Amino acid sequence: MPASVAGAGGRARGSVIGPYMVLRGLDDEASGIPVPERRFIGRSADGDRTVLIGAPLPGADPGRFLAEAETSRYLLGPWSSPATEVAAPGDAPWHARPYVPVLPLPAALTVYGGPLPERTVRALGVALVETLAIGHGQGLAHAGVSPAAVLLAADGPRLTCFGAVRAAAGDGTARSGLPGLESGSLPPEQATGGQPHPAGDVYALGATLAYAATGYTVPEREELPAGLRTVITACLSRDPAARPRPAELLDLLDAGGPAPAPPAPASGPMSPDTVLLRSTDPADRAAALLGPGWLPGRIIAALARQSAGLLAATLPVPPAPQD
């Protein structure tokens, strides 16, 4: 399970961020995977609202952090994770979104005991491609896709950390090695200071799916599952122009195949083996692939434990004010 250690990310249980009291940290620092921001689960003082909170890393530019959080509020799509609350001007920077039980992708691999099944990786890929395609259609490059940015929920993934690359440093400044940025997920053109763009999101997606499938963002080609080797390798092309477009990725991740099957006959529902897995609508593809069984049972159980633990949690006594 992700760490719930007091002091995770520099915040102890019971400390306050904005109007929320911290119940636990979200990320497992022992995973060694950089996280672009500090993330917590918090609750309002009246106990009515539980949220996922993001705060900038120590030394980060609070203005850049808040600008990206504010822009994320306009993201569309079921698997995007826009901020719904942002700190007021002049306050310490933070943002929040409603809580759902989630595991960061690195924690999910720990819970599962290794790389995720190919079915899970394919479903994850289709949902993330859908999310990126919607954002690109809005004129927004995500610029923050990485293993830590992906949160797994029972009904599908949530893509967080919008704008992490832009927040880390402005265009023209080398970003390689900056805190919070996972080097294997950082498109080479952005590592050297280039402007984030949709093709960079495709590279980062390839690295994230490689991590889900192997435990590494830059595995050897032979380490990748044979069924995912072509699509992940294509995403990781160092030439942005050679990377596939989202529509191509949907076909590759959904294993190509024929046009959508006909609807269920009136005599009865379709069997699980004949559920529609392919559609001209990417949202339909994701919804079909994210059906029952898309996540391994161990991860579902961990999500249930997290939810139960938070339901039973009482608000800690806030720290006494300092004289």
Side-chain angles (χ1 to χ4, degrees):
M1 292 287 291
S4 56
V5 235
R11 293 276 184 169
R13 183 176 187 270
S15 61
V16 175
I17 299 178
Y20 299 106
M21 191 168 293
V22 171
L23 297 178
R24 56 170 292 171
L26 181 65
D27 294 285
D28 181 0
E29 296 175 354
S31 74
I33 300 297
V35 184
E37 59 190 40
R38 298 177 299 160
R39 302 190 296 195
F40 310 92
I41 301 173
R43 186 168 291 161
S44 59
D46 59 12
D48 286 347
R49 287 174 296 151
T50 303
V51 296
L52 297 174
I53 306 169
L57 297 174
D61 183 327
R64 287 183 180 278
F65 174 85
L66 286 174
E68 297 299 332
E70 184 63 38
T71 302
S72 83
R73 299 178 78 159
Y74 300 96
L75 291 170
L76 301 175
W79 318 119
S80 64
S81 188
T84 54
E85 298 177 77
V86 178
D91 290 349
W94 60 273
H95 61 71
R97 53 185 55 83
Y99 167 77
V100 293
V102 289
L103 287 181
L105 183 57
L109 265 68
T110 299
V111 166
Y112 185 63
L116 301 180
E118 185 171 326
R119 175 191 174 180
T120 299
V121 178
R122 285 186 181 277
L124 175 64
V126 170
L128 294 181
V129 169
E130 175 193 341
T131 301
L132 292 175
I134 293 171
H136 296 169
Q138 295 178 265
L140 300 172
H142 190 280
V145 181
S146 71
V150 176
L151 306 180
L152 301 186
D155 64 345
R158 302 293 190 275
L159 183 57
T160 66
C161 299
F162 177 84
V165 172
R166 290 183 294 262
D171 298 340
T173 301
R175 302 182 179 98
S176 181
L178 290 181
L181 299 184
E182 201 284 314
S183 59
S185 306
L186 189 59
E189 66 274 14
Q190 293 175 25
T192 56
Q195 181 179 9
H197 50 70
D201 287 345
V202 171
Y203 182 96
L205 172 69
T208 299
L209 296 182
Y211 177 84
T214 69
Y216 304 97
T217 51
V218 284
E220 298 294 335
R221 178 181 170 85
E222 295 71 25
E223 294 179 280
L224 293 165
L228 295 168
R229 196 168 293 159
T230 298
V231 61
I232 291 178
T233 301
C235 290
L236 293 175
S237 171
R238 297 188 67 83
D239 178 5
R243 296 169 197 156
R245 296 182 180 276
E248 299 172 274
L249 285 174
L250 285 172
D251 287 334
L252 289 168
L253 285 166
D254 205 7
S267 59
M270 299 172 73
S271 71
D273 292 335
T274 56
V275 169
L276 301 183
L277 293 180
R278 291 162 184 86
S279 167
T280 53
D281 183 346
D284 289 346
R285 293 194 187 190
L289 290 169
L290 293 169
W294 91 275
L295 278 181
R298 291 179 193 171
I299 295 176
I300 293 292
L303 292 171
R305 288 195 298 271
Q306 182 190 101
S307 179
L310 288 172
L311 284 172
T314 56
L315 284 174
V317 177
Q322 299 294 318
D323 293 332

